[in-house]
Amino acid sequence: MDKKGFSQHISRQYNEDLEQIVTRVMTMGGLVEQQLEAALEALVSGDQEKGEQVVTSDYRINAMEVELDEACTNVLARRQPAASDLRLVVAVIKAITDLERIGDEAERVGRMALHLLDEDRRRSPMSEIGALGEQVKNMVRGALDAFARMDAEQAVRVAQEDIKADAQYDAIIRNLVKYLEDNPKSVPPVLDIVWATRSLERIGDRSRNICEYVIYFVRGKDVRHTSFEQMAEEATGDRH
């Protein structure tokens, strides 16, 4: 097995097919990161051009998901992979689904941003929302890095950051609910902000999912719906 844990095969083409698939996942991930960055700029600073860019570019991520899904299907049909190779293909199929959905959430943030006026932003906890955006942006980057290196321990560390993202989200929503109670006429713009904030929180969840797929590939353990402590045990093989 090579440094990423991929099995090496007599067929050089098989090795290249698997490595190319992972490389294409990272390319897709890079595009998702760009979309998220642009969506955050549109939401927090009111950059209309960035908002339009996100809304009109989502199709590129969708197309990459379809292409990668087809590539994985071809490997399954032609190579009938087993053991770690099969786990790799399964992990890729799941990861690209979450990346596509992160792209959808970024597109939603960009679309909500286009509805807001500068006055709406001044009345909103944009600094806190921006901090949540930076938090989930770092989670996406960390999850992709863990996936690129198939690093289970880093995957656990990134997944645990979702605790902080959830706490930030809860605090923002409490703030917005209180504002609505005091300013009931502001419901439409505040709801746009609520939906955008919800999308950011979901991006954190999707990033955690990608980390779980890394652990699945490396350790052969499904850690979905487990505690962070159990996830760490499976990732390190450290049982007490």
Side-chain angles (χ1 to χ4, degrees):
M1 302 180 82
D2 72 3
K3 63 182 180 179
K4 290 183 180 177
F6 300 172
S7 298
Q8 293 299 295
H9 310 91
I10 294 174
S11 169
R12 185 173 65 181
Q13 185 60 52
Y14 189 8
N15 293 329
E16 290 176 354
D17 287 347
L18 293 176
E19 291 173 2
Q20 185 180 57
I21 283 173
V22 174
T23 298
R24 290 166 68 184
V25 171
M26 301 315 298
T27 300
M28 180 181 180
L31 182 56
V32 167
E33 285 190 89
Q34 291 174 20
Q35 287 283 87
L36 178 54
E37 178 71 32
L40 285 172
E41 289 186 29
L43 179 64
V44 176
S45 65
D47 189 325
Q48 295 284 302
E49 185 177 344
K50 292 290 186 181
E52 293 284 358
Q53 172 189 320
V54 175
V55 171
T56 58
S57 299
D58 187 55
Y59 75 93
R60 296 168 59 195
I61 293 173
N62 296 339
M64 293 185 79
E65 183 200 15
V66 171
E67 291 170 3
L68 272 164
D69 194 58
E70 289 177 355
C72 289
T73 300
N74 287 336
V75 168
L76 290 171
R78 289 173 29 235
R79 304 294 186 179
Q80 298 181 336
S84 64
D85 292 337
L86 180 58
R87 293 202 306 273
L88 173 64
V89 175
V90 170
V92 166
I93 291 171
K94 290 177 177 291
I96 61 176
T97 297
D98 275 292
L99 284 173
E100 189 275 333
R101 288 174 180 170
I102 290 173
D104 286 345
E105 299 294 355
E107 188 268 341
R108 187 171 292 110
V109 171
R111 187 153 31 86
M112 294 300 101
L114 292 175
H115 297 166
L116 299 177
L117 303 174
D118 289 340
E119 182 180 358
D120 300 324
R121 289 183 174 82
R122 286 194 296 270
R123 293 173 176 174
S124 304
M126 276 300 163
S127 60
E128 290 85 353
I129 293 171
L132 172 60
E134 288 299 314
Q135 172 71 10
V136 299
K137 187 171 70 173
N138 290 335
M139 287 182 68
V140 172
R141 183 177 299 115
L144 287 169
D145 185 58
F147 196 93
R149 297 188 294 112
M150 291 302 169
D151 186 333
E153 293 185 16
Q154 179 180 346
V156 171
R157 291 193 296 272
V158 174
Q160 289 174 330
E161 288 294 308
D162 196 36
I163 297 172
K164 181 177 179 181
D166 287 344
Q168 290 173 300
Y169 169 74
D170 289 342
I172 292 166
I173 294 301
R174 285 195 300 270
N175 191 325
L176 290 172
V177 168
K178 185 177 185 305
Y179 179 79
L180 275 179
E181 290 173 349
D182 297 336
N183 302 274
K185 293 182 180 180
S186 299
V187 169
V190 171
L191 282 181
D192 286 337
I193 294 169
V194 167
W195 292 128
T197 305
R198 177 58 174 156
S199 286
L200 293 176
E201 189 273 338
R202 285 176 174 168
I203 289 171
D205 292 342
R206 299 292 180 187
S207 300
R208 172 180 170 164
N209 290 350
I210 294 171
C211 292
E212 292 172 350
Y213 308 145
V214 173
I215 296 167
Y216 167 72
F217 169 71
V218 175
R219 296 294 182 180
K221 299 290 185 180
D222 188 341
V223 296
R224 293 176 297 175
H225 315 302
T226 63
S227 67
F228 287 113
E229 291 77 12
Q230 291 172 303
M231 184 186 296
E233 286 182 359
E234 295 293 357
T236 61
D238 185 14
R239 297 299 185 89
H240 299 287

